[in-house]
Amino acid sequence: MRCKPADRKNIEALADWLLAEAKRRGAKGAEVSYSEGEGNSLSLKDGEVEECISGASSAIGVRVLLDGGRQGAASGDKLDKASVSEMLDWSLSNARAAEPEDGVFLYSGGPLFADPEILRIDPEIDRITAQQRMESCRQLTALADSADSRIVSVRAAAWQDGRGSDFYASTEGLSGWETGSSASCETVVLAQQNGCTEMGGYGMDSHRLCELDIEKTALCAVSDAVSALGGSPVKTGNYTIVLEPEAAASLIEITGDLFCATDIQKNRSMMKGKLGETVASECFTLSDNGRIPWKAGTSCWDSEGVPTDETVLIENGTAKNYLYNLQSAYKDGVKSTGNCVRGLSTLPNTGCSNLVLKGGSETEQALVSSLKKGIYLTEFMGLHTIDPVSGDFSVGAKGLLIENGEKTRPVSGITIASNLFDFLKNITAVGSDVQFFGAVSASALVVENITVAGK
């Protein structure tokens, strides 16, 4: 259902009609968002096809603004005038029933510019065939199955690819298209030894086909499962831990979300009032950047048509900036950072784009080798339960014991209790090998004096 030039003209004409009709029916302003996508997925379980799906979808949404800062939104998947007219009625009805708010307005900056330097279309993804998807899944299965005798099942060898397009237009005269393609592969395996069973997995996704590594995906899944076999707790005490990059990414994602101004203004974030204060170690620098070519969180403009940008959140341990959409920026007397996020039928909020950790000077291996004793942490369990206001958390974890600079036996059944401020301030080193996990870049982190509850 890929949108051809003629189809795009039809969508643009429908959007123009919707915007004019919204004004005719009493709206102070309005914006239209349209989204379409098509994708293919294939998954094998122990070499047999478990799922094979191809599909396409499209939807359109409208947000209207009334006097007094009242706003409403609605969406639908039918593109005829009668259907979108009814959708507009719902949006207006929602706005009339809404409470007045300050700072509700549309962006009236310059025209939308689809920067060719950050566009995310890989023609190689468009050319993927059903045969290639099957070959990739069979290769994932064969590599994982033969990598270690303790692998008893390849529970999933999966492939996905697709592309999508988004269109934005408003009564302020802004309009523009963005298009992106992506592909991903994943392996999930089951390992057994001496009555112990562990499941492990690994996946990669990218907007460029050349960045997907089938062999790495399979072997990392095997390593994840096999290295955890026979895990047991360590003695309760304070430990130096090395966060594996993917585990570090989950921590960074939660940290970035705490800088969203809408939550800060509603007293839902521990970062409220912390600008200019030390919130992390001096070696920790974190930015939000919506303009990195080929990354998952990249876009030329946000959901309000505001150009995206780079915003430093933490610099050498000091909190520097919050992330804003138009309304939250108005309330703080600043400019939007281009971090509005919203669905087709939801109201504007703030969110992260690409979170980028600044790398250090030593490799992960060097960081591990420097420790006489510690824990190499590969997974947090329940990190989403961190209290966003106090920062307190107590979560399960697993990994490997570090002894004399070497990873030795598997560790499981442990609990890490801390406060996020303390955790970030106790980081003593950041690895040099930064890599992306979705829209979050991370490397190994060394964190000292962390309480671990075991046996």
Side-chain angles (χ1 to χ4, degrees):
M1 66 149 293
R2 192 169 306 168
C3 216
K4 299 176 182 178
D7 299 327
R8 284 195 170 190
K9 290 186 180 299
N10 292 336
I11 297 297
E12 291 166 6
L14 185 62
D16 287 342
W17 180 85
L18 253 178
L19 294 174
E21 190 68 7
K23 295 280 282 189
R24 190 185 71 81
R25 298 185 194 183
K28 184 179 179 180
E31 61 182 7
V32 171
S33 299
Y34 168 79
S35 180
E36 65 176 22
E38 56 183 321
N40 308 280
S41 65
L42 174 66
S43 180
L44 307 185
K45 180 179 179 180
D46 291 322
E48 299 296 326
V49 175
E50 184 175 47
E51 183 179 79
C52 182
I53 299 175
S54 293
S57 63
S58 63
I60 192 168
V62 60
R63 179 171 74 107
V64 297
L65 281 60
L66 301 181
D67 288 335
R70 293 173 295 153
Q71 57 181 328
S75 67
D77 58 5
K78 296 180 179 179
L79 301 177
D80 59 278
K81 281 190 177 180
S83 297
V84 297
S85 178
E86 183 179 0
M87 177 188 70
L88 178 58
D89 283 339
W90 277 107
S91 182
L92 287 164
S93 177
N94 291 337
R96 294 186 185 107
E99 293 293 325
E101 296 182 70
D102 290 332
V104 176
F105 60 96
L106 298 175
Y107 179 65
S108 57
L112 301 184
F113 173 61
D115 188 346
E117 295 298 319
I118 65 173
L119 291 181
R120 298 166 294 158
I121 288 293
D122 182 358
E124 293 299 318
I125 291 178
D126 284 345
R127 289 195 281 266
I128 294 173
T129 65
Q131 181 180 355
Q132 288 174 306
R133 294 184 195 103
M134 180 62 74
E135 289 174 354
S136 295
C137 289
R138 285 175 174 166
Q139 189 177 3
L140 287 168
T141 300
L143 286 167
D145 191 48
S146 62
D148 194 291
S149 61
R150 290 166 288 184
I151 299 299
V152 296
S153 175
V154 181
R155 305 306 295 268
W159 179 275
Q160 291 184 330
D161 60 75
R163 70 141 62 197
S165 295
D166 297 299
F167 175 72
Y168 175 88
S170 78
T171 51
E172 294 295 325
L174 276 67
S175 67
W177 287 88
E178 282 197 303
T179 302
S181 59
S182 64
S184 66
C185 55
E186 180 185 23
T187 310
V188 179
V189 299
L190 197 67
Q192 286 184 350
Q193 184 180 41
N194 299 328
C196 295
T197 301
E198 289 287 345
M199 186 172 288
Y202 190 82
M204 301 182 73
D205 60 88
S206 179
H207 289 284
R208 285 191 287 194
L209 187 62
C210 64
E211 292 181 352
L212 296 186
D213 188 329
I214 295 291
E215 183 175 10
K216 179 179 179 180
T217 301
L219 297 185
C220 284
V222 171
S223 176
D224 185 46
V226 169
S227 65
L229 286 169
S232 60
V234 294
K235 289 184 179 180
T236 297
N238 289 343
Y239 287 81
T240 295
I241 65 174
V242 179
L243 287 184
E244 183 268 343
E246 191 166 6
S250 62
L251 182 79
I252 289 168
E253 183 174 17
I254 287 173
T255 301
D257 287 339
L258 295 171
F259 284 83
C260 292
T262 47
D263 288 333
I264 289 168
Q265 292 168 352
K266 295 175 182 177
N267 299 315
R268 296 176 181 171
S269 171
M270 59 188 276
M271 292 299 171
K272 181 179 177 67
K274 298 297 182 182
L275 293 187
E277 296 186 11
T278 299
V279 297
S281 161
E282 287 188 2
C283 64
F284 192 86
T285 293
L286 180 67
S287 299
D288 178 271
N289 190 338
R291 305 189 72 82
I292 305 174
W294 302 103
K295 299 308 177 186
T298 293
S299 179
C300 294
W301 53 83
D302 70 2
S303 297
E304 293 177 310
V306 179
T308 54
D309 206 344
E310 179 178 13
T311 304
V312 178
L313 305 180
I314 302 174
E315 185 175 36
N316 299 328
T318 300
K320 288 293 186 179
N321 299 284
Y322 296 142
L323 300 174
Y324 290 97
N325 64 1
L326 287 173
Q327 186 180 16
S328 60
Y330 171 86
K331 290 180 178 180
D332 278 3
V334 298
K335 293 183 178 181
S336 170
T337 58
N339 284 89
C340 178
V341 295
R342 76 177 189 91
L344 294 179
S345 59
T346 60
L347 299 180
N349 203 339
T350 52
C352 301
S353 55
N354 298 301
L355 288 170
V356 182
L357 176 69
K358 183 179 179 180
S361 59
E362 295 187 85
T363 66
E364 176 186 315
Q365 181 57 49
L367 296 177
V368 171
S369 298
S370 67
L371 294 182
K372 184 175 181 181
K373 188 173 184 180
I375 299 173
Y376 182 77
L377 199 66
T378 59
E379 183 179 350
F380 287 111
M381 288 164 277
L383 198 59
H384 64 280
T385 61
I386 288 180
D387 187 321
V389 178
S390 69
D392 293 335
F393 66 92
S394 179
V395 298
K398 68 177 184 178
L400 297 163
L401 186 64
I402 299 173
E403 297 176 293
N404 298 318
E406 298 288 340
K407 301 172 191 173
T408 55
R409 70 172 182 85
V411 173
S412 62
I414 59 173
T415 300
I416 292 180
S418 185
N419 177 276
L420 187 55
F421 277 138
D422 295 335
F423 200 90
L424 294 174
K425 289 176 182 178
N426 286 350
I427 295 172
T428 58
V430 177
S432 59
D433 30 13
V434 177
Q435 54 188 302
F436 266 88
F437 301 90
V440 181
S441 80
S443 63
L445 299 176
V446 179
V447 193
E448 291 186 348
N449 198 31
I450 298 301
T451 301
V452 176
K455 59 183 179 180

